[in-house]
Amino acid sequence: MSGVIKAENLHKVYSETKIPVKALNGVNLEIMEGEFTAIVGPSGCGKTTLLNIIGGLDHPTMGNVLVANEDIANMKDGELIDFRLKNIGFVFQAYNLIPVLTTLENVEFIMLLQKQDKTQREKRSMELLEEMGIADKANMRPSELSGGQQQRVAVARALASKPKFILADEPTANLDSKSTENLLDIMAKMNKEENATFVFSTHDQRVIEKAKRIVTLEDGVIISDVKK
Amino acid sequence: MMILKIAWRNVWRSKGRSFVVMSSIVVGIWALIVGNGFMNGFMVGYMDEAINYDISNIQVHHPEFKQDFDINLSITDGLKKTEEIREWEGVEAVTTRTIVNGMIASTKKASGIQIRGIDKKRESEVTSLDSLIKEGAYFEGIKRNPIVIGAKLAENLKVKLRQKVVLTFNDSDGNITSAAFRVAGIVKSSSLNINERYAYVLQSDINTLLGIGDEIHEIAMLTSEGVHEGDILTKYNNTYSGDLVEDWKLIAPEMALMQEMYGSMLYVLMFIILTALIFGIINTMLMAVLERLKELGMLMAVGMNKLRVFIMILVETLSLAIISSPVGLFISFMTISYYRNVGVDLTNYSEGLEAFGYASILYPFVAQETYIVVTVGVIITSFLAAIYPAWKAVKLKPVEALHKI
Ligand SMILES: Nc1ncnc2c1ncn2[C@@H]1O[C@H](COP(=O)(O)OP(=O)(O)OP(=O)(O)O)[C@@H](O)[C@H]1O
Ligand SMILES: [Mg+2]
């Protein structure tokens, strides 16, 4: 079986700055379907850069990225948007939700962009909100939810369209320890129940402990890759 | 569609700001329509006065008469033609005039004028001259040689009602002739001609003095509402030959020009106001975009394509125009309706205006199309104004906007 994500010899140099920064120096990484992977490492080691590239948000300076056997490294920006819509779920550290939509509408949003039909959309969204334990907040606006609840809505939205995998860059960075644990438990549960593939970065030791595979970066290279 | 929903709700997100833009759209529409209404009132007031009291719709002369007002150049069979024309469809009223340039003198002063010998009944049917009487009566109360003059002329000559003035002119043989007239009435009008350049006498009196029998120099017609003046001109030329027949646009080309100019004034005004509006809207929408960079970045990161982002910003902008346009139109409509009935009294400023021949009470009005033209203009403007901010949004790179995923 081949991986959903296959990154080969990724290099990334940020050259807009005065002194070019080598953020990635030859990263090879393959993520299999159903994995629950944490990308860890000290600040500035290239976690965000790596996630951006495998998520089709940024282009590598060199190397290939295959997602579901499609080479995304050389796709145009416009094609990438559609590709992301169809294949990748995202959970960001903050600013995940559309403030003018309700919780339920936010969860439906991706499916809506994908033009799925209404009954299906609503059914799936309500099920997910139920799984996340926030079904009672379906008609509230994001501003009425706690940070932890907002992140759960973001996870629900990412999962809703059943993407090939879900990327989360420090999804718990703004959460307290209880909410952090809660969010990770939910992610783990969905990984198990729906076989959803998660790749997330973190600094948090408790989060790292929940991961089933831990990829450690340092100065833009992978220094260890441990599967539990 | 969800994008419309998001856009619509975004409009209300920053209520104060949206309110400012919407108010400026309302004010812009109001200024345009009311401004146009006042201009229309101004122009029509002026034209109405000129046409109704002075020029009338159509005039007939001997082709060379107006070159130097030679009294021997009368209209052939003028009275007979007049009687026939009176029966024409589309002709409301017809009158005849004898016209001679001369001098008017009081005991104090003299002044060059145009003496107009009129048929008092027919004249009032065509030009309502009788309605302009401010003092005295319309050729009543004076037995011999009554004369009606303008208020300004009376003031210049320092003559009062019933006082004597002397008219001097050349008769048909070229002899200088003088005759005494007594002021029967004084007319007041915003028309310069009527106010100080004309002296009205009875046609029978002047014709006798001139020795021209029942010859006339001018036929003036008032056409019925909605009748195309050109049709009457054509009919006249087909029926009679050898006369010069003109409608008011030919008689007073400056008025036709003015009418045209005023027509384009709406567009000039629109251009100015909409240009101001466009910058206001661009500014606001740009703020709305810059404030939401992270959110827009997120939307594009999760798969909202450029077209959808563009449409969203466009709809947000257009919503502002679509909400505020009816309000602006309504307020404008109410303003125009109110002043249309009441009129705007310019008497305080009318000294200056009357000198130009403008009416001193202005009745603004707006053509129905103007409401449509202005609305379309405002919507196109906001559409254009949306393009730059929307383009800014579309150009965003999600990673940069979010800074980190
Ligand atoms: N847009 C950019 N322009 C220039 N340099 C950048 C840019 N983004 C990241 N870098 C640099 O690239 C390196 C890797 O950054 P990256 O954000 O991937 O690290 P990270 O592991 O996510 O760090 P953190 O844990 O602090 O989020 C850093 O040295 C950073 O300064
Ligand atoms: Mg990072």
Side-chain angles (χ1 to χ4, degrees):
Chain A
M1 189 181 105
S2 82
V4 266
I5 305 170
K6 222 169 175 176
E8 287 167 353
N9 194 27
L10 283 187
H11 286 260
K12 178 70 182 180
V13 182
Y14 290 108
S15 40
E16 306 90 61
T17 43
K18 259 190 234 147
I19 309 152
V21 180
K22 287 184 175 179
L24 295 179
N25 290 308
V27 170
N28 291 292
L29 179 67
E30 185 169 15
I31 303 280
M32 296 301 186
E33 199 184 316
E35 281 189 329
F36 198 65
T37 309
I39 313 279
V40 302
S43 184
C45 67
K47 304 183 291 294
T48 299
T49 305
L50 177 61
L51 290 187
N52 280 345
I53 290 172
I54 62 181
L57 288 167
D58 204 353
H59 295 281
T61 312
M62 205 175 98
N64 293 321
V65 190
L66 294 180
V67 172
N69 291 321
E70 275 196 73
D71 182 4
I72 64 166
N74 299 309
M75 276 190 189
K76 296 208 188 69
D77 285 353
E79 293 171 315
L80 276 174
I81 295 182
D82 285 337
F83 186 83
R84 293 196 296 266
L85 176 62
K86 288 195 196 100
N87 299 290
I88 310 172
F90 289 91
V91 178
F92 305 107
Q93 187 180 316
Y95 303 104
N96 268 298
L97 305 178
I98 303 160
V100 296
L101 296 185
T102 64
T103 299
L104 181 65
E105 288 166 337
N106 264 292
V107 176
E108 284 180 55
F109 186 69
I110 304 291
M111 290 186 281
L112 213 126
L113 292 179
Q114 293 176 340
K115 302 198 164 108
Q116 294 194 21
D117 81 57
K118 191 170 152 72
T119 43
Q120 196 184 328
R121 246 164 38 208
E122 281 179 0
K123 185 162 165 277
R124 171 81 175 144
S125 304
M126 278 315 292
E127 274 170 15
L128 282 168
L129 287 178
E130 216 115 344
E131 293 271 10
M132 313 273 145
I134 43 174
D136 56 328
K137 308 275 190 288
N139 293 316
M140 288 186 181
R141 294 279 176 99
S143 58
E144 298 168 289
L145 305 182
S146 72
Q149 289 165 340
Q150 288 181 21
Q151 287 306 76
R152 278 184 267 163
V153 177
V155 171
R157 181 188 62 192
L159 280 164
S161 60
K162 302 201 164 136
K164 300 273 175 354
F165 61 94
I166 292 163
L167 288 180
D169 191 11
E170 309 204 27
T172 60
N174 294 340
L175 302 183
D176 59 35
S177 56
K178 193 160 162 283
S179 301
T180 297
E181 193 173 334
N182 183 290
L183 190 73
L184 254 291
D185 287 344
I186 281 170
M187 284 164 61
K189 182 171 90 174
M190 298 316 289
N191 168 251
K192 209 160 155 193
E193 284 178 9
E194 299 200 344
N195 200 33
T197 310
F198 279 91
V199 182
F200 51 93
S201 71
T202 186
H203 280 117
D204 191 328
Q205 198 51 45
R206 283 159 305 179
V207 174
I208 297 170
E209 279 162 16
K210 305 253 178 191
K212 292 190 207 140
R213 178 179 172 188
I214 300 161
V215 175
T216 311
L217 275 177
E218 211 175 285
D219 291 333
V221 289
I222 293 175
I223 53 162
S224 86
D225 185 347
V226 186
K227 289 177 199 179
K228 287 196 215 160
Chain B
M1 208 166 122
M2 178 73 87
I3 292 176
L4 298 186
K5 195 194 252 175
I6 297 175
W8 175 255
R9 292 188 189 164
N10 278 336
V11 171
W12 304 110
R13 220 159 129 178
S14 174
K15 289 198 183 69
R17 193 171 55 211
S18 294
F19 183 78
V20 169
V21 176
M22 291 192 289
S23 316
S24 48
I25 294 177
V26 168
V27 171
I29 290 178
W30 184 84
L32 267 173
I33 292 180
V34 173
N36 178 251
F38 275 65
M39 285 191 320
N40 286 342
F42 220 58
M43 180 190 68
V44 167
Y46 167 72
M47 302 239 293
D48 271 1
E49 293 243 331
I51 292 174
N52 289 346
Y53 297 121
D54 184 2
I55 304 172
S56 59
N57 301 68
I58 295 175
Q59 291 182 1
V60 182
H61 298 98
H62 182 285
E64 281 143 39
F65 177 73
K66 286 203 287 183
Q67 283 164 19
D68 40 29
F69 296 88
D70 177 347
I71 56 163
N72 293 313
L73 299 175
S74 54
I75 301 167
T76 321
D77 296 330
L79 288 181
K80 185 168 158 272
K81 285 174 185 166
T82 305
E83 290 314 310
E84 288 168 13
I85 294 165
R86 187 161 290 136
E87 305 305 318
W88 288 4
E89 206 169 305
V91 175
E92 192 80 22
V94 192
T95 191
T96 59
R97 293 174 192 138
T98 302
I99 293 175
V100 54
N101 285 335
M103 289 275 287
I104 188 166
S106 65
T107 50
K108 311 246 162 50
K109 268 196 176 143
S111 177
I113 47 145
Q114 184 171 89
I115 302 159
R116 317 194 107 208
I118 60 164
D119 174 334
K120 69 173 186 181
K121 174 162 168 277
R122 301 298 186 189
E123 182 70 33
S124 61
E125 285 169 9
V126 175
T127 62
S128 327
L129 182 64
D130 55 333
S131 70
L132 296 180
I133 293 284
K134 288 284 126 61
E135 269 182 76
Y138 185 61
F139 297 101
E140 303 286 327
I142 303 288
K143 288 221 177 65
R144 237 176 74 83
N145 287 356
I147 187 170
V148 169
I149 58 175
K152 188 82 186 178
L153 183 61
E155 193 186 313
N156 291 346
L157 297 172
K158 300 197 166 61
V159 289
K160 302 227 160 57
L161 272 183
R162 317 192 65 84
Q163 286 182 347
K164 219 197 266 180
V165 290
V166 173
L167 296 184
T168 310
F169 45 86
N170 288 335
D171 69 10
S172 60
D173 298 325
N175 302 320
I176 289 180
T177 309
S178 287
F181 285 77
R182 226 176 254 283
V183 179
I186 291 174
V187 287
K188 190 162 198 289
S189 160
S190 53
S191 156
L192 202 60
N193 282 340
I194 298 171
N195 235 13
E196 56 177 310
R197 290 189 190 144
Y198 291 165
Y200 298 93
V201 299
L202 295 177
Q203 203 163 36
S204 47
D205 294 342
I206 190 78
N207 279 29
T208 311
L209 289 164
L210 287 170
I212 56 168
D214 57 4
E215 297 292 305
I216 52 152
H217 301 118
E218 184 170 278
I219 300 174
M221 294 176 222
L222 177 67
T223 54
S224 313
E225 189 87 21
V227 167
H228 195 56
E229 284 122 352
D231 296 343
I232 308 278
L233 295 193
T234 311
K235 185 166 180 185
Y236 190 97
N237 284 324
N238 289 340
T239 316
Y240 313 114
S241 59
D243 297 331
L244 176 67
V245 56
E246 298 167 298
D247 64 8
W248 65 269
K249 287 183 188 170
L250 290 167
I251 300 165
E254 75 281 2
M255 276 211 284
L257 188 75
M258 201 151 133
Q259 189 186 41
E260 234 167 70
M261 223 175 67
Y262 267 109
S264 54
M265 277 297 260
L266 171 65
Y267 295 97
V268 174
L269 197 65
M270 235 168 109
F271 180 80
I272 296 168
I273 290 180
L274 295 184
T275 306
L277 205 56
I278 208 169
F279 286 107
I281 298 175
I282 288 177
N283 194 36
T284 309
M285 289 313 295
L286 213 52
M287 255 157 71
V289 167
L290 295 179
E291 225 174 58
R292 300 211 302 265
L293 285 183
K294 288 214 158 87
E295 189 182 323
L296 290 165
M298 180 275 291
L299 289 171
M300 290 167 85
V302 301
M304 185 156 160
N305 67 31
K306 292 171 190 233
L307 181 67
R308 284 165 163 161
V309 172
F310 195 90
I311 291 173
M312 182 175 80
I313 304 293
L314 204 68
V315 171
E316 278 187 48
T317 318
L318 285 177
S319 304
L320 293 169
I322 289 166
I323 301 162
S324 43
S325 293
V327 179
L329 291 175
F330 179 75
I331 296 176
S332 310
F333 178 78
M334 295 310 283
T335 311
I336 292 287
S337 304
Y338 174 77
Y339 284 111
R340 167 138 224 195
N341 290 329
V342 182
V344 183
D345 194 347
L346 298 177
T347 327
N348 288 342
Y349 319 95
S350 66
E351 276 298 291
L353 291 172
E354 278 183 8
F356 293 110
Y358 287 111
S360 48
I361 293 194
L362 185 151
Y363 294 94
F365 72 95
V366 169
Q368 257 159 30
E369 307 90 80
T370 305
Y371 289 100
I372 297 164
V373 168
V374 168
T375 311
V376 170
V378 166
I379 287 173
I380 291 175
T381 302
S382 45
F383 186 88
L384 293 177
I387 291 176
Y388 181 64
W391 180 79
K392 272 273 181 201
V394 162
K395 284 282 143 206
L396 283 177
K397 294 229 180 300
V399 226
E400 285 163 21
L402 279 162
H403 220 237
K404 28 166 116 178
I405 59 165

